[in-house]
Each structure stands twice: as C-alpha cells, then as structure tokens.
Amino acid sequence: GAFPEIHVAQFPLDMGRKDGKTGKTVALQMDAEGNIKYDAILSQGRNHNTLVQGRHKDLVAKKVHEMDVERPDQDEVLSKTQETQAALEKIVHGKITAAKVARPEINQRKDAEYIRYMPSQAGGNFNSGAKERIIKMHEAPVDPLELPKFKHKKAPRGPPSPPVPVMHSPP
C-alpha cells in the first residue's frame, strides 16, 4: 500500500506509473496510393534496422541485371586481399603470443652445453685409452600431449577443533 505520510509519488504494484513505454495502439499508416499499410503492426516494437517481410512481393526474388552488379577492379580486389591478410595475421599473431605466455617452456630452448672431464678410470683398458671425455648436455624436448607424470594427492585433514567445554554443576 501507499504511505500517506511520505510526500513522494508512490505507485503500489506499479499501478498508474508512466514509464515512457509505447502503447499497444498503432497509428494508421497509408502508402503512396492511399491503401492502408497493415504491415505496420509487424514492425511495431522492433528496431528500425530490422527487415520485416510482410508482403508476398518482399519474398519473391528480384531479377538482377548484369548492369546492376559490377565486378570490382583489380586494385580493389588487391586492397581487400591485403586487408583480409593483415586481419588474419593479426589474429594468428595474437593466438601465438598467448600460447607463448601460457607455455614458456615450449619457446625457450637453451643451447647445448659441452662438458669436458677426466674419467677416474683412465688408461688403455677403459674408454679406448682416452684421457678425457666430452659430453653434450641439452634439455630433452617436452611433449605437449604427454600426460602429467605426478598425481596430485589430497593432504589428509588436520585434527578437528577441540570440543567445546560444557559447564556442569558438580554432582
């Protein structure tokens, strides 16, 4: 209900409120010959950009003459091709950079490192008599489709909080 002590316009259950919505009544419209345009009902409440086909004539395909549609010249085709190629390259470049940020181990390959050392068992009987060895160290490639090697285990729950002390009167 409304409160009479509050001096502001009140609308219980929004009765009597004028919110600026258009009414359900459509104004009578005529075409150039003076006939009533019944398709005005179809376009009521719609955006002016919405195409409403309310007559049979709107659904029939129009005949296109060769003079109505012209082929674009070579310069226009080239410019549109370059615009499309630039737009596609921008999209692909954005996706590639997003993937590089998400998986940094894929992009950063370290160069091979060579280590030279003297074996502890040097001599003619071991390692074909070589006095020193050279090892090439590099990181093994990461397979992006490989399943995870470690399974995440849930940690066991900690002990619960101690029970609330209950105060009893002495027996």
Side-chain angles (χ1 to χ4, degrees), residues 31-107:
D31 60 358
E33 289 114 29
N35 299 328
I36 299 173
K37 289 176 65 176
Y38 290 105
D39 57 344
I41 298 170
L42 300 175
S43 61
Q44 177 196 14
R46 295 186 191 267
N47 190 355
H48 68 279
N49 294 333
T50 307
L51 177 65
V52 177
Q53 298 175 338
R55 296 175 291 188
H56 176 69
K57 185 172 74 172
D58 296 335
L59 299 174
V60 176
K62 297 178 182 175
K63 296 192 175 171
V64 180
H65 299 290
E66 291 182 18
M67 299 303 287
D68 293 342
V69 181
E70 295 180 10
R71 285 193 165 270
D73 59 340
Q74 193 64 24
D75 295 334
E76 192 175 339
V77 169
L78 253 168
S79 67
K80 288 293 180 186
T81 305
Q82 289 173 348
E83 286 178 25
T84 306
Q85 186 176 5
L88 290 175
E89 284 177 357
K90 183 179 176 185
I91 292 170
V92 169
H93 181 68
K95 292 194 177 202
I96 288 173
T97 54
K100 284 184 180 178
V101 170
R103 300 283 306 270
E105 69 271 4
I106 294 176
N107 326 323

Side-chain angles (χ1 to χ4, degrees), residues 3-18:
F3 299 96
E5 63 271 8
I6 299 176
H7 301 290
V8 177
Q10 300 173 32
F11 299 97
L13 301 175
D14 286 335
M15 292 187 292
R17 180 187 299 267
K18 294 180 180 170

Side-chain angles (χ1 to χ4, degrees), residues 100-144:
K100 284 184 180 178
V101 170
R103 300 283 306 270
E105 69 271 4
I106 294 176
N107 326 323
Q108 300 170 351
R109 298 209 63 148
K110 294 183 178 176
D111 293 335
E113 185 178 343
Y114 293 95
I115 302 171
R116 181 181 301 205
Y117 73 100
M118 307 276 286
S120 63
Q121 295 176 331
N125 298 335
F126 303 102
N127 195 26
S128 67
K131 293 191 170 110
E132 61 181 18
R133 294 182 184 170
I134 298 175
I135 298 176
K136 179 182 179 183
M137 294 287 288
H138 60 87
E139 292 187 19
V142 179
D143 184 10

